[in-house]
Structure formats: C-alpha cells, structure tokens
Amino acid sequence: MSTLFVKSKGTCSAFNLVELLVVFAIIAIIAALLLPAVSRGKNVARRMTCANNARQIDLAILVYCGDGNDKAPLATTTNMPPWIAYKELIKSYLGSVTANPHRQR
C-alpha cells in the first residue's frame, strides 16, 4: 500500500479525475483573471520608461544650454542631417548611452 491518504478501514483514497479537473479549471480561471493586470502593469512600465527618457533628454538639453551660454544645440554646426546631429550634440550629456541589440522597439 502506498503512502497516500489511508482511511481507518485500510482503503486508499486519492484525487479522482473529476476533482483534478476542477482544480485545473480553478487555476485556469485565476490565471485568466491575472493576465490583464500583468498586461496593464507592462503598459504602465513602458509609459514610465518613455516619460523618463523624455525627461533625461530635456535635462541634457538644459545642461547643454547652460554650458553653451544659454544657446540651444544647433544642428547646422555639423554636416549631418538635423535629426542625427541634434542627438550627437547632446549625447555626451545623456550619460552612458550604449546600444542594446536585443531591445524591442
């Protein structure tokens, strides 16, 4: 006889198939209720990351202006297109900027 639940008369009782399916159904319902909350949490985290990145860029531009006698970075000082030159001018003010090839966009 195994070490399962033993009744006083010596018969062995265990979970039957119906009870096991009920437990699986309850777990599935709980998981289905939790998934939207996890998804909302991910969306909030993405929004916070975006807002923080915008804040860091704003601070970098302010520090650049402070170092350059209150002049904003001008993209015309380089031979690059404005949307690239602007990034290059304030890159050193953003701290350690490293490229992550695994980052999802």
Side-chain angles (χ1 to χ4, degrees), residues 48-66 72-73 82-97 103 105:
M48 291 295 287
T49 301
C50 184
N52 187 40
N53 288 342
R55 180 178 173 271
Q56 291 296 323
I57 291 170
D58 185 40
L59 288 174
I61 292 170
L62 288 174
V63 172
Y64 184 94
C65 292
W83 58 89
I84 296 174
Y86 198 76
K87 292 177 188 176
E88 290 297 320
L89 290 171
I90 65 168
K91 185 186 274 186
S92 62
Y93 292 93
L94 286 173
S96 62
V97 179
R103 185 174 178 190
R105 298 216 179 226

Side-chain angles (χ1 to χ4, degrees), residues 12-75:
C12 183
S13 69
F15 289 116
N16 61 20
L17 183 60
V18 174
E19 292 170 339
L20 189 61
L21 290 175
V22 168
V23 170
F24 283 147
I26 291 172
I27 291 172
I29 290 171
I30 291 172
L33 291 173
L34 289 177
L35 285 177
V38 171
S39 177
R40 272 190 301 253
K42 285 182 182 180
N43 289 336
V44 169
R46 284 189 193 116
R47 281 197 312 266
M48 291 295 287
T49 301
C50 184
N52 187 40
N53 288 342
R55 180 178 173 271
Q56 291 296 323
I57 291 170
D58 185 40
L59 288 174
I61 292 170
L62 288 174
V63 172
Y64 184 94
C65 292
D67 287 349
N69 295 328
D70 293 332
K71 290 186 174 59
L74 296 175

